[in-house]
């Protein structure tokens, strides 16, 4: 009897030990799974998709995606897509079974449209110290919608003054000074190539807008407030009258001029002063042996009429529909901040991040110009303002009445804004 009880006790003890061992193995497995998940080593490898529309970003994005994968193990698929109906395509893809991008690059003028479509996530990846130390206020305003930072500022475009140092010792502070230069100009052997004192693309609104931008209000500091729109201040009309008067001095044919031929004439030494866009510097450096040019902010018109350049900021947005929001935020920061030092060399795009070094020290002037610029507004009801103003500039250059042109544009745009209130 005792032997029977003893054998049963031994059997029960063995069973209990087996169950205890199984429990320990299960607990150990659970702990390893938990630790792996916390370390980001999930069974399923994370992956991201980024959409963009500018092929000049190709090299930079490919290299940055490769660096990010090497650092984190996360694959990033890059898709160059058409700029036509860009936000609409992102929205359609995002709500489909296939899914849209986890991130996308977008210009400031489309950011509000993306936000209203529910495609944006707040940028909370930086400290206040990083914002104040490493970003211009202009970049943060450009990435702000509805009172919140809804994107990661990436790179900017603006217009500025270029001058040939072989013909001019310094940049003029006003266009009046350029007119004085023209009045006192005398041809010499050193200036035998000169054909134009001042030439710019008078058919391009981006190059023209600095004439009036200091006196228009296009939605307030962040460009998304419809109550802060003013288009017809008296100074706007005074500036346009001054613009019109320049046709008598420089006689630029708006039907023949292009941005490319204006820049080429400057490179060839045929032009003393010109208005250029950000990408012009790389085009000049690609063919010039030396820094024969000077970079300056756009000059005021007169001592009384001030100017500001026009700018567009491109940012990276984390898609609200992404299933990998946290990882997408990390890559957005990596793309726009951690690797910003490499952006210009690989794409000729000017990063908004401060502290980036350039071979030509005058490149820092572009950031000064950017900070003293008027950003393209985000209000969708102002989207056709640029078309209307380009037409108005063209008509005014040809001699049409300034007041009539300005009043016509103002009535059209303000009626659109009032219709949506």
């Amino acid at each position: 009897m005792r032997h029977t009880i003893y054998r049963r006790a031994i059997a029960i003890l063995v069973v209990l030990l087996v169950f205890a061992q199984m429990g320990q193995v299960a607990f150990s497995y659970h702990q390893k799974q938990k630790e792996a998940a916390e370390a980001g080593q999930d069974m399923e490898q994370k992956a991201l998709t980024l959409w963009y529309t500018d092929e000049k970003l190709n090299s930079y994005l490919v290299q940055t995606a490769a660096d990010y994968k090497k650092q984190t193990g996360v694959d990033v698929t890059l898709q160059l897509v058409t700029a036509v109906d860009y936000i609409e395509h992102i929205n359609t893809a995002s709500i489909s079974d296939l899914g849209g991008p986890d991130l996308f690059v977008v210009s400031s003028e489309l950011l509000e449209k993306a936000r209203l479509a529910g495609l944006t996530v707040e940028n909370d990846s930086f400290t206040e110290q990083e914002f104040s130390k490493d970003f211009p206020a202009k970049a943060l305003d450009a990435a702000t919608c509805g009172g919140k930072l809804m994107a990661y500022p990436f790179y900017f475009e603006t217009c500025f003054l270029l001058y040939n140092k072989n013909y001019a010792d310094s940049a003029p502070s006003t266009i009046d000074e350029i007119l004085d230069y023209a009045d006192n100009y005398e041809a010499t052997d050193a200036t035998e190539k000169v054909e134009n004192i001042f030439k710019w693309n008078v058919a391009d609104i981006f190059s023209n807008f600095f004439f009036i931008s200091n006196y228009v209000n296009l939605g307030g500091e962040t460009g998304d407030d419809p109550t802060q729109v003013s288009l017809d201040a008296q100074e706007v009309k005074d500036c346009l009258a001054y613009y019109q008067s320049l046709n008598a001095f420089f006689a630029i044919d708006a039907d023949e001029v292009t941005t490319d031929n204006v820049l080429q004439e400057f490179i060839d030494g045929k032009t003393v002063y010109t208005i250029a866009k950000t990408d012009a510097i790389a085009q000049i450096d690609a063919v010039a042996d030396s820094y024969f040019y000077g970079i300056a902010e756009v000059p005021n018109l007169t001592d009384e009429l001030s100017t500001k350049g026009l700018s567009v900021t491109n940012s990276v947005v984390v898609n609200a529909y992404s299933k990998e929001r946290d990882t997408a935020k990390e890559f957005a920061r990596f793309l726009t901040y951690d690797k910003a030092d490499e952006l210009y060399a690989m794409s000729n795009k000017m990063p908004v991040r401060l502290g980036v070094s350039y071979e030509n020290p005058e490149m820092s002037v572009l950031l000064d110009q950017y900070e003293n610029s008027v950003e393209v507004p985000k209000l969708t009801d102002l989207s056709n303002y640029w078309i209307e103003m380009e037409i108005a500039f063209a008509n005014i250059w040809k001699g049409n009445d300034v007041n009539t042109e300005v009043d016509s544009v103002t009535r059209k745009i303000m009626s659109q804004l009032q219709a949506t209130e």
Side-chain angles (χ1 to χ4, degrees), residues 57 60 105 152-156 314-316 335-336 343 350-352:
L57 291 171
Y60 177 74
V105 181
Y152 294 70
F154 191 12
Y155 64 91
F156 70 88
N314 283 266
S315 300
V316 174
L335 185 67
T336 61
L343 178 60
M350 286 293 298
V352 299

Side-chain angles (χ1 to χ4, degrees), residues 17 25 57 65 104 146 153 208-209 265 272 286 297 307 315 321 333 355-356 363 421:
L17 287 172
V25 170
L57 291 171
F104 54 94
N208 270 336
F209 199 70
E265 289 178 357
V272 181
E297 294 186 49
T307 63
S315 300
Y321 286 91
R333 178 187 166 107
V356 175
M363 293 285 283
E421 290 180 354

Side-chain angles (χ1 to χ4, degrees), residues 134-399:
D134 297 327
F135 292 96
K138 178 64 63 177
L140 299 178
D141 287 343
T144 297
C145 279
K148 294 182 179 181
L149 190 67
M150 302 305 289
Y152 294 70
F154 191 12
Y155 64 91
F156 70 88
E157 297 172 61
T158 191
C159 70
F160 53 93
L161 181 77
L162 281 175
Y163 64 98
N164 191 314
K165 291 182 176 180
N166 295 320
Y167 309 140
D169 295 329
S170 60
S173 59
T174 66
I175 292 182
D176 270 358
E177 289 183 25
I178 296 179
L179 295 179
D180 289 340
Y181 179 98
D183 285 340
N184 296 306
Y185 174 78
E186 292 183 6
T188 66
D189 291 341
T191 61
E192 61 180 354
K193 292 182 180 179
V194 174
E195 297 177 2
N196 316 293
I197 301 301
F198 184 32
K199 188 173 184 178
W200 73 103
N201 186 355
V202 296
D204 177 27
I205 186 65
F206 202 91
S207 300
N208 270 336
F209 199 70
F210 81 94
F211 278 90
I212 66 171
S213 55
N214 192 53
Y215 301 108
V216 295
N217 190 339
L218 301 173
E221 288 186 358
T222 56
D224 62 347
D225 185 351
T227 66
Q228 295 191 55
V229 175
S230 175
L231 309 175
D232 61 348
Q234 182 58 47
E235 291 88 346
V236 171
K237 297 176 180 179
D238 293 341
C239 289
L240 284 170
Y242 185 94
Y243 169 81
Q244 187 177 63
S245 72
L246 295 179
N247 197 355
F249 286 92
F250 303 116
I252 303 168
D253 188 342
D255 295 326
E256 298 294 331
V257 70
T258 68
T259 298
D260 287 339
N261 66 34
V262 166
L263 184 60
Q264 189 59 54
E265 289 178 357
F266 181 79
I267 292 171
D268 293 340
K270 297 178 180 179
T271 303
V272 181
Y273 304 101
T274 189
I275 302 297
K277 300 178 186 178
T278 313
D279 59 357
I281 302 299
Q283 292 178 249
I284 297 173
D285 290 345
V287 297
D289 296 328
S290 62
Y291 298 133
F292 71 89
Y293 58 88
I295 304 173
E297 294 186 49
V298 290
N300 292 325
L301 306 186
T302 67
D303 291 336
E304 292 76 32
L305 295 175
S306 301
T307 63
K308 284 186 177 182
L310 183 65
S311 65
V312 176
T313 305
N314 283 266
S315 300
V316 174
V317 173
V318 173
N319 192 345
Y321 286 91
S322 172
K323 295 178 181 178
E324 302 290 352
R325 282 192 190 182
D326 290 341
T327 306
K329 287 181 178 181
E330 290 173 3
F331 182 61
R333 178 187 166 107
F334 187 78
L335 185 67
T336 61
Y337 183 79
D338 296 348
K339 305 292 286 186
D341 284 343
E342 301 172 20
L343 178 60
Y344 182 76
M346 300 187 73
S347 68
N348 298 330
K349 302 293 186 184
M350 286 293 298
V352 299
R353 183 179 175 180
L354 301 174
V356 175
S357 299
Y358 303 95
E359 287 187 17
N360 183 351
E362 289 197 35
M363 293 285 283
S364 61
V365 176
L366 298 182
L367 270 165
D368 295 336
Q369 178 69 87
Y370 174 59
E371 294 189 69
N372 185 34
S373 68
V374 171
E375 182 78 17
V376 172
K378 306 180 185 80
L379 292 168
T380 55
D381 289 319
L382 287 178
S383 59
N384 68 329
Y385 173 68
W386 307 108
I387 298 174
E388 297 292 341
M389 276 311 302
E390 191 162 71
I391 294 170
F393 267 102
N395 290 339
I396 289 168
W397 187 253
K398 293 174 181 177

